[in-house]
Every structure is written in C-alpha cells, then in structure tokens.
C-alpha cells in the first residue's frame, strides 16, 4: 500500500523541462531514501528494461528509474511526456485493487501508465520496447533521427 504521510497534492509543481507536476512528493518517501534502495535492488526484469531505456535510447527521451511522486515510487518515468512504465512481478496479481487505484491517481495527475509483467520483459524485451515506442509516438513525440520503431533481432 502507499505510504501514509504528508503528500498534499494539487500544488502544480514544475518539474525539470517545464513539465507540470501535480502533487507533492511524500516527505517519508524522500527522507527514507527508499528510491536509492530500490535502484540498488532492482528485479532482473527492471534491470533489463532499464538497460533498454537509459541513455535516451527510446526516441531520445530521458527516463528516470525509481522516481518519487506523491506517495509512490515509480519504476520508470519520462517526465517530459508524463509516461510511467511499471514492471510487475507475481505479487501484483494479489494487489490488483491497489495497482488499479494507484494507476487512477497517477492518471488524474496527467500521467499515462504502462504496465508489463516481469516475464513479459524478460521473454519479449523487443516487444515491450515496441509497445513503449508506439505509445510515445501516440503522445506526439517525433524524432527524425529515429523514424521507425526498433526492429526485432534476427
């Protein structure tokens, strides 16, 4: 469940790059440096996806990992396009109501949320990257240096 605490929401904060950020990061999330611990202890699937997202490899977009927002720590987020990518393990099938509520709250804040299962990332990383590319293109991002989606490896 989300951390109980001081997150107030509705502040209209500006993120880097001028992206409007609605909400306030919960002080408990920041003070415990939980995101640092989560970055060091990523799952194999999160690690594999991070290798594909880091260094602006998807349409030149900057993704952050284990980024705090409100009462949550987001697996991956592109603040410029308000796109969140969550990688879910088996425990998420037991907390579907929580994930659904969390997704609705993030959508209310203006984010688009994509969810992938661990096994999907590990067994079909190219397909996951393709889906991310399609969503980013649908959000109106255009990069002339990468006019077509990544092709699967032979």
């Amino acid at each position: 469940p989300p951390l109980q605490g001081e997150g107030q929401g509705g502040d209209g904060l500006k993120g880097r790059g001028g992206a409007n950020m609605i909400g306030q990061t919960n002080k408990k999330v920041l003070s415990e440096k939980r995101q640092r611990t989560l970055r060091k202890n990523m799952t194999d699937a999160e690690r594999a996806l991070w290798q594909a997202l880091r260094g602006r490899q998807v349409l030149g977009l900057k993704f952050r990992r284990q980024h705090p927002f409100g009462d949550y720590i987001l697996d991956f987020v592109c603040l410029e396009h308000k796109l969140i990518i969550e990688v879910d393990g088996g425990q998420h099938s037991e907390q579907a109501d929580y994930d659904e509520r969390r997704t609705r709250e993030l959508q209310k804040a203006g984010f688009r949320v994509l969810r992938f299962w661990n096994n999907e990332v590990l067994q079909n990383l190219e397909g996951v990257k393709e889906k991310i590319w399609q969503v980013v293109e649908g959000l109106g991002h255009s990069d002339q240096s990468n006019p077509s989606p990544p092709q699967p490896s032979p």
Side-chain angles (χ1 to χ4, degrees), residues 94-105:
E94 300 166 6
Q95 62 183 45
D97 291 340
Y98 165 74
D99 285 344
E100 194 173 304
R101 185 174 63 251
R102 180 178 192 238
T103 296
R104 278 195 311 271
E105 289 179 23

Side-chain angles (χ1 to χ4, degrees), residues 8-28:
Q8 300 299 314
D11 292 346
L13 301 175
K14 287 271 194 183
R16 280 192 163 167
N20 283 325
M21 301 300 293
I22 298 170
Q24 178 180 0
T25 300
N26 183 318
K27 291 176 184 168
K28 193 170 187 178

Side-chain angles (χ1 to χ4, degrees), residues 4-104:
Q4 301 299 314
E6 303 79 23
Q8 300 299 314
D11 292 346
L13 301 175
K14 287 271 194 183
R16 280 192 163 167
N20 283 325
M21 301 300 293
I22 298 170
Q24 178 180 0
T25 300
N26 183 318
K27 291 176 184 168
K28 193 170 187 178
V29 170
L30 293 175
S31 67
E32 293 179 7
K33 303 294 184 196
R34 292 189 64 214
Q35 65 271 24
R36 180 175 296 151
T37 301
L38 290 170
R39 280 193 299 263
K40 288 181 179 179
N41 298 308
M42 289 193 302
T43 65
D44 290 343
E46 289 171 333
R47 193 171 287 109
L49 186 55
W50 177 240
Q51 291 305 314
L53 295 175
R54 67 185 302 194
R56 300 181 184 265
Q57 295 179 70
V58 176
L59 296 170
L61 299 179
K62 178 175 179 61
F63 281 90
R64 297 171 184 265
R65 62 184 169 143
Q66 307 301 338
H67 185 75
F69 181 80
D71 288 340
Y72 308 112
I73 296 180
L74 312 173
D75 287 347
F76 305 101
V77 62
C78 173
L79 294 174
E80 178 184 3
H81 287 279
K82 297 189 91 168
L83 174 64
I84 295 170
I85 301 170
E86 293 289 315
V87 180
D88 297 336
Q91 78 279 7
H92 286 272
S93 62
E94 300 166 6
Q95 62 183 45
D97 291 340
Y98 165 74
D99 285 344
E100 194 173 304
R101 185 174 63 251
R102 180 178 192 238
T103 296
R104 278 195 311 271

Side-chain angles (χ1 to χ4, degrees), residues 135-136 144:
V135 168
V136 170
Q144 297 304 318

